Amino acid sequence: MDFHKWTKDNPNIATVNVATPDLNGVLRGKNILSSQLYKLNNGDFRMPFSIQNLDIWGRDIEGSSWVYETGDIDANCIWTGRGPLPVNWLKNKSALIPVTLSLDDGSSFQGDPRSFLKKIMQNYQEKNLKVVVGIELEFYIFEKNKFNNNTDGLEIENAYSINEIDIKEEFFNQVRCACEEQNISILSNVSECGSGQFEIVLNHNDDLVKVADDIIFLKYLIKGIAERNNLKASFMPKPTFEGSGSGLHVHLSIWDKNNKNIFNNETQKGSDSLKYALGGLIKTMPELTLIMAPHLNSFRRLALESHAPNIISWGYDNRTTAIRVPSGSNKSRRLEYRVAGSDVNPYLLLSSIAESCLLGLNESLIPPKETKGNAYNSNNKSLPSGWREAIENFKNGSFIKKTFPKELYQMFLDCKLQEYKTLATKITPTELITYLDTV
């Protein structure tokens, strides 16, 4: 792209944000003068590799080889080809320039989740296959200065309420306009079970990297537009005790070179390929729980009979299972992966489930028997019961070690361990109130 020309064509934009998502899916980068964008054209724009190796608080990972051991060396920042994306909700108009990190020889940084997802897409292309996904992203909208004004403890649910959508009409209109400007295709927005909880549905797409990019940019613009409207948007999986948790559901199918859905055998049950993909997803679920539930709060969402799955299971049109096979036309036969929370890193999410499906297809893995009725009451195994167990499953997982680049594996593991250890040492106000004078 000719950034010189773009700067001249946009004289009202004085500064732009050049950014890349880190391990937690948080955008990190620099705010620079638009006149400096030319550096992206000739490889002179650099940021340290460690920018992708920060914990949730933006701190270096202690002991990481990408900090002191390497001298905290710089990476070459490569424009992804997307944008510049308008950021029109700020007081002064700006733009977002998404970049990815590479080595000086032009090769991809093996600790970059986005580059990992690109490699997974290539694996499918080599087999003349493609993964098609649609996304359902849940989140909360709160009055900025009234985080929780439901003081009497009444649990309020208003699922699928058109009135709730109408009340936030101006907010969602601004979100839709921003999505159009950023080439993010949304199908609908829905009022969900929690008070102030909503869901946005993204259109199906076979470009998994673009889908993951869209999720990052969508969360960024929703938070920004909420701030402009004196609201607070939260993708925390369980921001209130009373409300439902927020998830990120993935609808997935696999298509061949003849543009045929390989999950479709013209029956409601689906093909053998669908069953094999299920087998792969079920087999890897314990190892991948840390990807799907990466934070302490993530596990407050994964509770019994909470509309969020904590049982390793699958079923036909069954929303109590971890993986649902929706009903509908045979042509659109697909899986709905329901484990991930709204706090998931979308690049790691899509990489993990795509590779799990490929594992099932390559090894013809047969899934366990389908779950009928309430999965929470079944005898199936459960997901890891807590964050520490999920970390250990990831650490020791054979599928993870075989699939993930060693740099990405170690960086993500170290990041989660540091976050866990930090929070494990904190004394909460609830603990003080409970124990200070009673024991």
Side-chain angles (χ1 to χ4, degrees):
M1 179 177 183
D2 187 345
F3 285 109
H4 277 298
K5 184 177 185 305
W6 183 87
T7 301
K8 288 182 178 179
D9 291 343
N10 294 273
N12 59 330
I13 298 180
T15 65
V16 297
N17 294 325
V18 180
T20 188
D22 69 6
L23 293 169
N24 289 301
V26 177
L27 284 170
R28 309 275 185 189
K30 297 179 180 180
N31 180 263
I32 66 169
L33 293 173
S34 299
S35 60
Q36 298 300 303
L37 274 175
Y38 71 91
K39 293 180 178 179
L40 283 169
N41 283 331
N42 54 21
D44 286 338
F45 193 91
R46 303 173 73 82
M47 292 189 288
F49 283 106
S50 59
I51 199 172
Q52 286 189 327
N53 192 37
L54 303 172
D55 68 13
I56 194 65
W57 299 281
R59 305 176 307 180
D60 284 328
I61 306 299
E62 293 183 11
S64 170
S65 62
W66 291 101
V67 187
Y68 298 118
E69 191 174 316
T70 61
D72 202 12
I73 60 174
D74 277 344
N76 193 13
C77 295
I78 307 297
W79 177 50
T80 65
R82 185 83 176 266
L85 303 173
V87 179
N88 294 331
W89 53 87
L90 299 177
K91 184 176 181 180
N92 298 308
K93 285 190 175 183
S94 184
L96 174 68
I97 316 293
V99 296
T100 188
L101 305 186
S102 77
L103 306 179
D104 283 336
D105 63 6
S107 59
S108 299
F109 175 43
Q110 294 299 297
D112 176 21
R114 189 177 189 275
S115 296
F116 179 44
L117 180 54
K118 290 182 70 174
K119 178 65 169 62
I120 302 303
M121 286 184 63
Q122 291 170 6
N123 292 345
Y124 271 85
Q125 290 167 3
E126 290 170 1
K127 294 180 176 292
N128 293 313
L129 296 172
K130 63 181 179 182
V131 181
V132 178
V133 299
I135 301 296
E136 298 170 350
L137 176 63
E138 296 170 337
F139 60 99
Y140 275 86
I141 296 292
F142 300 104
E143 298 299 325
K144 192 171 183 181
N145 298 318
K146 297 179 182 179
F147 180 75
N148 186 3
N149 58 5
N150 181 24
T151 54
D152 61 4
L154 175 66
E155 183 173 345
I156 300 172
E157 294 191 4
N158 211 3
Y160 289 88
S161 168
I162 295 300
N163 186 55
E164 288 287 325
I165 297 292
D166 289 345
I167 290 170
K168 296 291 190 296
E169 175 194 14
E170 180 58 28
F171 169 79
F172 281 107
N173 279 338
Q174 292 173 28
V175 168
R176 277 191 290 271
C177 289
C179 284
E180 288 178 7
E181 291 177 329
Q182 297 197 8
N183 190 28
I184 299 172
S185 178
I186 60 174
L187 290 178
S188 62
N189 49 278
V190 179
S191 169
E192 275 290 344
C193 293
S195 178
Q197 187 185 34
F198 299 92
E199 173 188 273
I200 285 183
V201 180
L202 297 181
N203 211 344
H204 285 72
N205 198 319
D206 62 5
D207 185 343
L208 301 190
V209 174
K210 183 184 185 300
V211 172
D213 287 344
D214 284 351
I215 295 169
I216 294 290
F217 303 150
L218 179 60
K219 292 171 74 171
Y220 175 62
L221 68 86
I222 286 174
K223 288 180 180 180
I225 292 171
E227 181 74 20
R228 184 172 75 175
N229 286 272
N230 205 34
L231 301 169
K232 178 177 286 295
S234 177
F235 295 88
M236 187 177 179
K238 189 72 171 169
T240 68
F241 176 75
E242 299 86 3
S244 299
S246 293
L248 194 161
H249 299 166
V250 180
H251 289 253
L252 174 147
S253 57
I254 300 175
W255 297 65
D256 64 19
K257 63 181 180 180
N258 297 317
N259 209 32
K260 181 181 183 301
N261 181 358
I262 69 171
F263 289 171
N264 173 28
N265 66 348
E266 301 301 336
T267 73
Q268 290 291 304
K269 295 294 184 181
S271 67
D272 287 342
S273 294
L274 180 143
K275 299 288 179 57
Y276 298 151
L278 277 169
L281 290 166
I282 293 291
K283 181 177 182 178
T284 61
M285 199 172 287
E287 294 182 36
L288 296 178
T289 301
L290 185 63
I291 300 289
M292 311 305 159
H295 305 292
L296 172 64
N297 184 259
S298 309
F299 287 86
R300 303 200 189 283
R301 168 181 168 264
L302 299 175
L304 284 173
E305 299 189 347
S306 62
H307 295 291
N310 69 346
I311 305 298
I312 299 173
S313 55
W314 72 277
Y316 289 102
D317 218 4
N318 188 341
R319 285 185 170 86
T320 68
T321 57
I323 306 173
R324 168 177 167 256
V325 182
S327 57
S329 70
N330 293 330
K331 184 179 179 180
S332 63
R333 189 67 54 230
R334 65 191 187 277
L335 307 176
E336 181 189 10
Y337 194 89
R338 300 172 54 81
V339 182
S342 53
D343 56 342
V344 68
N345 181 317
Y347 304 101
L348 297 180
L349 163 66
L350 296 180
S351 297
S352 298
I353 62 176
E355 272 297 278
S356 296
C357 288
L358 206 54
L359 173 71
L361 292 171
N362 289 340
E363 299 185 7
S364 300
L365 296 178
I366 304 298
K369 187 178 179 181
E370 69 166 295
T371 298
K372 298 180 180 180
N374 189 347
Y376 299 110
N377 294 333
S378 71
N379 294 321
N380 294 359
K381 292 182 179 180
S382 65
L383 293 172
S385 58
W387 197 16
R388 182 70 205 201
E389 184 182 347
I391 291 173
E392 288 301 313
N393 282 5
F394 179 90
K395 177 182 178 181
N396 299 316
S398 58
F399 171 77
I400 292 289
K401 291 179 178 178
K402 181 179 178 181
T403 305
F404 274 53
K406 62 181 181 180
E407 294 89 347
L408 181 56
Y409 162 81
Q410 195 63 53
M411 284 169 56
F412 189 73
L413 177 61
D414 290 345
C415 177
K416 295 297 104 182
L417 281 170
Q418 179 160 304
E419 187 179 342
Y420 171 83
K421 291 175 182 177
T422 298
L423 292 175
T425 62
K426 300 299 179 184
I427 308 297
T428 67
T430 301
E431 285 181 83
L432 287 173
I433 292 171
T434 303
Y435 301 118
L436 188 64
D437 297 321
T438 58
V439 296

